Amino acid sequence: MPATETILFVSLCYIGVLFGVAYYGDKRADRGRSIINSPYVYALSLAVYCTAWTFYGSVGRAVRSGPGFLSIYIGPTLMATLGWLILRKILRISRIHRINSIADFISSRYGKSMTLGGVVTVIAVLGIVPYISIQLKAISTSFLLLHTYEGSPANVHFGNLSIFKDTAFYVAFILAVFAVIFGARKPEATERHEGLVAAIALESVVKLMAFLAVGVFVTYGIYNGFGDLFSRAEQMPEVSRLFTLEQRPGTYTDWTIYIFLSMLAIVLLPRQFQVSVIENVNEDHLKKAIWLFPLYMVAINVFVLPVAIAGTIELSNHGVDADTFVLQLPLIHDKSHLALLVFLGGMSAATSMVIVETIALSTMISNNLVMPILLHIPALKLNRRNDLSSWLMAIRHAAVVVTILLGYIYFRQTAEYYPLVAIGLVSFAAVAQFAPALLGGIFWKGGTKAGALSGLIAGFIVWLYTLVLPTMTDTGLISHSFIQLGPFGWDWLRPFHLFGLAGFDSISHGVFWSLLANTGAYVGVSLFSKQSALGHTQATMFVDVYRLSQETQETLVWRGTAFIPDLKSLLERFLGKERTEEALNEYAQIHHVDWNRSPTADASFVAHVEKLLAGAIGSASARVMVASVVKEELLGIQEVMDIVDETRQVIIYSRKLERATDELKAANERLKELDRLKDDFISTVSHELRTPLTAIQSIAEILRDYPDTQKEEQSNFLEIMINEIHRLSRLINQVLDFQKIESGKMQWNIKPLDMIKVVQDAVDATRQLVTDKDMLMTVHLPENIPTITGDRDRLIQAMVNLISNAVKFCEPQTGQITVNLYQRYNKLHIKVTDNGIGINESDQQVIFKQFRQVATSGRGRPQGTGLGLAITRRIVEFHAGKIAVESELGKGSAFNIILPIEKL
Amino acid sequence: MTAEAIRTKRLIGLFLLGYLLFNYPLISLVNLPARVGGIPILYAYIFGVWIVIIILVALVSSKDSRAPR
């Protein structure tokens, strides 16, 4: 037997190593070099599932009921198989919403409800404290066994052990210190505790090694392998019964319910949620963990039956508690080093569970229970305090200490009466109550807050009645008749046989009824209650977490704006100045925000602040705090529906698609039209160029071939040639002008100008044209007129175009052209009227387009390019003016240019 | 179908397989006081199925899921 000093020394060394590893892990993390960023470490940290209950209790359970203990590890294996479906979704949701505990998850899902978070926390604490107590009991028992061992197996009793002689008390104290140092370092509970996880992974290795060592020793050291062990066992009927499940009615039902219960537990236990969700570094680690973790469970279970059999064979007639076989076997075989290793293995199993569970619970207690209450007590004036982060940390540290202390007190009061496994299973049943609300909540949008609350409460009450109340009889708080006959003799209310249900053991009976009540209430009430706008939004964001993009997630909830300084001071109060700066800079870098540009924050920034806060104080409190500085209200239910409703989204998309298609069609039409116009342009221009060219060519040929034509005729021909050349150059100029205007390359020479002068000049320029054809041109100009700014030459060009057009369409001799300039209101009107052939009403629309020439019957092809009016229109439009035509066939036309006079 | 969706479906299939093999009535077939290779048949069955499921999960999750041809 090892000396007490040795045990203490080794234990202290072990704890020292744990502190060292955790410290090293944190240091590395601070320098950005994570040591836990590996699927293997992740899988090992999941093995925190295997507690002292596994280490000592599995053997105890195997001795009592054979292979039944395996169901507790088969369930998690099956759930791990589904991990890619369920756990990954929980992981993704938690990351996006900065969830920091299971209570926060459920509260956030159902509209960030404080009540729900509180209820979940209460259930978790009540359910888990006994579980913590059995870990402390295991440590205490194993230590007592080891150092009081007198050469023969015996049971230990700590009924009269003083607290100060109890190892569990000191261990509890050290664990509290460890959890405070490494588990609650920063106000943000979403922050990973890398050192802690490293230590937990190490503990998982130690407990597995220790158990394998004792297993190998028993199987191959005491016996000659599995075959030898099992054939000896077969000789003894009381041992060989362990080969099969218990032969009693309901044994398969119990087996199935245990598998189901442990499936839920692996997701819902606060410590599992902590290591698998909060401490997860990379979602991809799941891929390996979903088979590594089951492999770990296989390994730690392989030797349970051999140890149980060996223990029964060698120790059963000493009346020793089967929960201690693992430690007693090496002891009675005088293997004190092995016994010490087993002791350490058991301690690692117990301490890892206590540490992680307490940290998870302390986050819940501080964020979902204490903080909301404190924020609601006006007398404390917490809203006005500048630095709440130290408060937050103090509450969390206190919660750690209180949880461990409660565990210890519970152990001292009651744990002696119960085997490890029984208490563990009652805890499993407690956390299983979160299943409908949580698992339902991530797959079913219809679950409402009222539904979740009634489900939780119904399940909790049944759990208390069927599983917790009966345990109180052994401590003398409740009479035995209550259990056997039911309250007031109503036998249908017997806690172990509710409504007369028989054939279940007490645990599966309680699990069945509580989960039935829970699920029934959850679904039923959800179907008949309405969701708040926020609840609806959260439901969609949780269920459709893969479908909705990050941006949608961030902008959905807040429409209101807030002032950045307000938000910043809010963050500073909970996170501290330094961390706030850091977080905001990070945000600014990612979103390219300049804080100095505008003092108001947009919706996505408000949402971001809320999430940062949620990481520290939970989503429900964060919501309240942010709401206190944000000015506007929530989105209305209808708007939320509009945005998040699936069909709505589809409709919106298809509408957008339709609009885009229409736009494309229009653009296509326009392109076709332009293409056609280009063709017209080229054919007209080449045609127009060829006509004068042909004329010049033929005249030149005549002059060459008949050099002796009369002088008079010669000069006549030359005159025509010159005219045609003028026409050519005019045409080319017009084409160039038009092209310049169209492509925006025209150089405009803008100056203040007097329109009287412009009109006068245009009239003078065309005077010759008019008198050549014996037409009459009258000009009416006002005395004076406001100056406008514009390009003089282009305006003259526009006027000349109109006057020469008028000349073209009037009969020589009788043609009368009138040019009017006058001011009406703040507009200048320039009117060119003629008594020519007039323009068809349908043609009036198109004459301003390029290359539209009105085919005029009887007069043949009109002269000109068809560009004149198009150019005129462009010039007028450049001056912000308008051009219009009034005309009647046979009576003449009137072109009216209207130019605005700028107000000075 | 995406690689993710295929992987998820295969894992759900394995879950159903495991659930079936580990539960009544199949487990009752091996709930016998006999031994195979020196090992109680129920244990041999449970650990055997367990290991097979783990190997299959490892194969499905580590391999690049390609659509079955």
Side-chain angles (χ1 to χ4, degrees):
Chain A
M1 159 203 128
T4 309
E5 293 76 31
T6 321
I7 306 170
L8 285 177
F9 179 71
V10 171
S11 312
L12 286 177
C13 282
Y14 177 70
I15 289 172
V17 168
L18 281 191
F19 272 82
V21 168
Y23 181 77
Y24 177 67
D26 277 347
K27 275 278 156 274
R28 286 283 295 250
D30 289 344
R31 273 182 277 139
R33 292 212 298 275
S34 172
I35 55 168
I36 65 163
N37 188 3
S38 138
Y40 299 98
V41 175
Y42 182 60
L44 281 174
S45 72
L46 291 185
V48 73
Y49 180 71
C50 302
T51 62
W53 156 15
T54 304
F55 198 85
Y56 294 115
S58 278
V59 170
R61 182 127 189 269
V63 168
R64 280 185 295 275
S65 58
F69 71 94
L70 286 173
S71 56
I72 299 304
Y73 307 93
I74 290 173
T77 302
L78 294 176
M79 195 50 138
T81 312
L82 282 186
W84 198 243
L85 180 74
I86 294 174
L87 206 55
R88 192 168 67 111
K89 193 164 191 182
I90 297 177
L91 260 171
R92 182 71 64 87
I93 294 168
S94 302
R95 187 143 300 163
I96 290 176
H97 294 264
R98 290 187 175 248
I99 302 288
N100 53 32
S101 69
I102 205 159
D104 200 26
F105 193 96
I106 292 175
S107 132
S108 179
R109 160 64 180 79
Y110 299 97
K112 313 195 177 180
S113 151
M114 280 194 182
T115 328
L116 260 181
V119 168
V120 170
T121 306
V122 169
I123 296 178
V125 171
L126 289 180
I128 297 299
V129 162
Y131 199 178
I132 292 176
S133 80
I134 60 174
Q135 310 301 320
L136 298 174
K137 175 189 173 184
I139 295 171
S140 195
T141 314
S142 58
F143 179 81
L144 273 177
L145 259 181
L146 209 54
H147 99 113
T148 58
Y149 183 73
E150 300 286 348
S152 70
N155 277 333
V156 290
H157 299 282
F158 11 62
N160 49 5
L161 186 74
S162 94
I163 285 181
F164 300 104
K165 279 189 176 168
D166 183 3
T167 11
F169 178 74
Y170 297 103
V171 171
F173 176 76
I174 294 172
L175 291 182
V177 171
F178 188 93
V180 164
I181 293 179
F182 298 107
R185 298 171 71 211
K186 292 180 183 166
E188 279 168 290
T190 41
E191 205 77 4
R192 278 194 302 275
H193 309 99
E194 303 229 340
L196 173 89
V197 174
I200 298 305
L202 175 72
E203 298 218 87
S204 291
V205 175
V206 172
K207 69 192 173 201
L208 179 63
M209 288 303 139
F211 202 89
L212 288 179
V214 79
V216 168
F217 164 72
V218 167
T219 317
Y220 295 98
I222 307 180
Y223 299 92
N224 290 318
F226 287 105
D228 178 39
L229 184 69
F230 288 131
S231 48
R232 290 228 212 155
E234 211 166 29
Q235 313 301 316
M236 308 161 74
E238 79 272 25
V239 182
S240 69
R241 75 181 162 83
L242 300 184
F243 289 2
T244 57
L245 290 168
E246 281 174 288
Q247 306 294 335
R248 59 172 174 82
T251 184
Y252 294 118
T253 323
D254 290 346
W255 169 264
T256 301
I257 287 184
Y258 283 144
I259 288 183
F260 182 68
L261 182 62
S262 57
M263 270 179 67
L264 299 181
I266 195 65
V267 179
L268 301 170
L269 279 168
R271 68 171 185 280
Q272 295 303 137
F273 195 87
Q274 181 80 26
V275 290
S276 61
V277 178
I278 314 292
E279 310 287 355
N280 173 277
V281 181
N282 183 340
E283 235 174 67
D284 274 346
H285 291 170
L286 257 186
K287 268 187 213 166
K288 273 210 172 71
I290 58 174
W291 60 270
L292 278 172
F293 170 54
L295 202 60
Y296 183 99
M297 290 191 293
V298 168
I300 209 165
N301 276 302
V302 165
F303 289 108
V304 171
L305 187 68
V307 173
I309 290 172
T312 317
I313 294 172
E314 303 198 16
L315 297 162
S316 59
N317 44 7
H318 295 276
V320 171
D321 182 1
D323 281 348
T324 62
F325 281 2
V326 187
L327 193 56
Q328 305 257 22
L329 278 172
L331 279 178
I332 58 165
H333 286 275
D334 256 353
K335 300 284 178 203
S336 60
H337 293 301
L338 184 60
L340 205 54
L341 180 64
V342 169
F343 171 72
L344 281 186
M347 192 159 84
S348 65
T351 51
S352 59
M353 181 278 179
V354 176
I355 290 168
V356 183
E357 202 84 85
T358 343
I359 289 165
L361 285 180
S362 76
T363 312
M364 286 194 210
I365 293 172
S366 74
N367 288 2
N368 299 93
L369 212 58
V370 181
M371 251 332 195
I373 293 173
L374 290 186
L375 289 175
H376 274 90
I377 299 176
L380 285 176
K381 298 205 174 70
L382 273 198
N383 286 332
R384 290 197 213 133
R385 264 176 197 279
N386 284 329
D387 180 23
L388 282 173
S389 62
S390 54
W391 271 67
L392 201 58
M393 296 304 289
I395 292 171
R396 217 165 277 162
H397 292 164
V400 166
V401 175
V402 167
T403 316
I404 293 188
L405 204 63
L406 278 178
Y408 184 74
I409 293 169
Y410 188 89
F411 148 60
R412 295 291 297 195
Q413 293 302 316
T414 65
E416 201 178 347
Y417 303 101
Y418 288 97
L420 299 179
V421 173
I423 288 184
L425 284 173
V426 172
S427 291
F428 273 30
V431 296
Q433 304 310 321
F434 305 148
L438 192 147
L439 298 180
I442 62 172
F443 291 108
W444 183 42
K445 284 184 211 170
T448 67
K449 179 189 158 191
L453 199 60
S454 18
L456 278 171
I457 291 174
F460 178 63
I461 290 171
V462 177
W463 172 78
L464 273 180
Y465 189 76
T466 57
L467 291 169
V468 179
L469 208 62
T471 64
M472 294 181 176
T473 54
D474 295 345
T475 53
L477 289 171
I478 284 175
S479 71
H480 279 279
S481 69
F482 187 92
I483 306 296
Q484 267 130 36
L485 304 172
F488 316 111
W490 297 338
D491 69 343
W492 54 275
L493 270 183
R494 284 175 295 163
F496 286 150
H497 300 281
L498 209 56
F499 304 110
L501 184 70
F504 285 61
D505 72 11
S506 64
I507 300 284
S508 43
H509 171 267
V511 170
F512 171 75
W513 280 121
S514 62
L515 281 182
L516 185 74
N518 188 335
T519 315
Y522 173 66
V523 176
V525 174
S526 288
L527 290 178
F528 289 94
S529 60
K530 269 196 172 169
Q531 222 158 7
S532 66
L534 184 59
H536 191 95
T537 316
Q538 291 294 99
T540 309
M541 289 204 278
F542 273 50
V543 175
D544 292 335
V545 66
Y546 297 124
R547 196 171 60 81
L548 296 174
S549 69
Q550 186 96 25
E551 289 89 83
T552 326
Q553 301 260 10
E554 289 204 333
T555 48
L556 257 179
V557 185
W558 292 106
R559 188 175 43 173
T561 48
F563 291 110
I564 287 174
D566 289 350
L567 289 169
K568 202 173 158 194
S569 74
L570 189 61
L571 277 180
E572 274 171 4
R573 279 158 57 198
F574 287 99
L575 304 183
K577 239 187 173 75
E578 213 172 294
R579 175 70 191 112
T580 304
E581 281 300 325
E582 201 181 311
L584 292 189
N585 286 341
E586 208 172 286
Y587 180 85
Q589 263 180 13
I590 294 169
H591 296 263
H592 306 289
V593 185
D594 182 7
W595 300 121
N596 303 324
R597 219 174 42 210
S598 128
T600 52
D602 58 3
S604 98
F605 181 66
V606 177
H608 185 75
V609 168
E610 194 192 330
K611 273 179 192 165
L612 279 175
L613 266 188
I617 56 172
S619 48
S621 307
R623 166 131 222 120
V624 175
M625 295 313 297
V626 171
S628 68
V629 297
V630 170
K631 301 287 176 280
E632 270 189 36
E633 272 299 287
L634 257 177
L635 287 179
I637 181 93
Q638 195 50 48
E639 284 156 283
V640 173
M641 302 266 252
D642 282 354
I643 300 164
V644 299
D645 211 67
E646 223 167 311
T647 44
R648 282 282 187 171
Q649 290 240 5
V650 174
I651 292 170
I652 290 167
Y653 283 141
S654 67
R655 270 189 203 148
K656 271 187 194 160
L657 212 62
E658 262 171 33
R659 214 174 304 144
T661 318
D662 286 350
E663 274 165 21
L664 270 178
K665 261 190 201 159
N668 193 27
E669 285 299 312
R670 197 168 142 62
L671 276 177
K672 273 189 192 161
E673 167 81 6
L674 283 177
D675 196 43
R676 210 173 47 71
L677 285 177
K678 187 202 74 188
D679 288 349
D680 285 358
F681 184 87
I682 290 172
S683 74
T684 322
V685 166
S686 45
H687 179 76
E688 293 295 332
L689 289 174
R690 214 156 34 165
T691 326
L693 268 178
T694 321
I696 293 165
Q697 190 189 7
S698 45
I699 290 167
E701 275 167 4
I702 292 170
L703 288 178
R704 184 196 60 192
D705 292 348
Y706 306 96
D708 48 349
T709 31
Q710 285 189 9
K711 189 130 195 179
E712 197 181 321
E713 211 166 349
Q714 269 189 9
S715 66
N716 200 13
F717 277 139
L718 285 173
E719 189 66 29
I720 297 173
M721 261 173 88
I722 289 167
N723 276 340
E724 291 300 313
I725 288 169
H726 274 309
R727 191 171 150 194
L728 250 183
S729 68
R730 198 170 63 237
L731 182 66
I732 291 170
N733 279 337
Q734 280 194 345
V735 170
L736 288 176
D737 277 355
F738 183 74
Q739 194 269 341
K740 266 190 197 164
I741 296 176
E742 279 294 87
S743 61
K745 282 179 190 154
M746 176 67 96
Q747 297 279 331
W748 299 90
N749 188 14
I750 310 294
K751 275 181 189 147
L753 42 94
D754 182 4
M755 273 311 279
I756 299 174
K757 195 94 181 52
V758 171
V759 175
Q760 195 66 59
D761 288 351
V763 169
D764 289 347
T766 48
R767 182 74 71 190
Q768 190 57 43
L769 204 62
V770 178
T771 37
D772 279 356
K773 295 216 169 164
D774 280 342
M775 293 179 189
L776 188 67
M777 177 154 69
T778 32
V779 183
H780 300 286
L781 295 173
E783 289 285 299
N784 53 44
I785 208 156
T787 50
I788 64 165
T789 52
D791 187 317
R792 180 177 167 275
D793 293 345
R794 297 295 156 202
L795 283 172
I796 290 175
Q797 187 184 355
M799 289 296 304
V800 168
N801 278 343
L802 287 185
I803 296 169
S804 53
N805 257 2
V807 172
K808 264 184 237 166
F809 294 105
C810 285
E811 296 295 327
Q813 277 101 38
T814 60
Q816 285 193 0
I817 299 166
T818 320
V819 178
N820 272 316
L821 171 65
Y822 56 91
Q823 180 187 1
R824 182 169 291 169
Y825 306 114
N826 55 349
K827 299 263 168 42
L828 286 185
H829 290 243
I830 305 146
K831 209 167 190 174
V832 178
T833 323
D834 65 54
N835 58 349
I837 55 171
I839 306 162
N840 203 327
E841 199 164 319
S842 61
D843 288 333
Q844 291 178 14
Q845 309 296 323
V846 294
I847 50 168
F848 294 109
K849 291 194 173 169
Q850 57 269 41
F851 306 117
R852 293 304 176 102
Q853 288 178 323
V854 180
T856 41
S857 55
R859 287 177 63 98
R861 197 182 55 77
Q863 298 161 315
T865 53
L867 279 176
L869 279 176
I871 292 175
T872 305
R873 196 185 100 188
R874 297 291 193 287
I875 294 171
V876 171
E877 280 174 356
F878 176 81
H879 290 87
K882 272 188 272 181
I883 183 166
V885 63
E886 287 166 29
S887 178
E888 205 174 317
L889 267 185
K891 295 221 172 139
S893 327
F895 284 87
N896 197 6
I897 295 177
I898 304 163
L899 293 174
I901 305 165
E902 300 98 306
K903 284 170 216 158
L904 291 170
Chain B
M1 218 187 324
T2 63
E4 283 308 310
I6 291 171
R7 197 199 308 273
T8 308
K9 285 197 173 146
R10 287 179 180 168
L11 288 171
I12 292 175
L14 283 177
F15 165 77
L16 294 175
L17 176 74
Y19 197 83
L20 210 67
L21 290 176
F22 279 129
N23 271 293
Y24 184 83
L26 291 185
I27 200 148
S28 71
L29 301 180
V30 288
N31 192 16
L32 304 166
R35 291 193 294 151
V36 279
I39 295 166
I41 188 166
L42 182 60
Y43 283 86
Y45 173 80
I46 290 177
F47 278 98
V49 170
W50 206 342
I51 294 285
V52 169
I53 297 270
I54 288 173
I55 291 172
L56 289 178
V57 170
L59 286 179
V60 170
S61 64
S62 60
K63 207 174 65 176
D64 280 336
S65 342
R66 270 161 297 180
R69 301 177 186 207

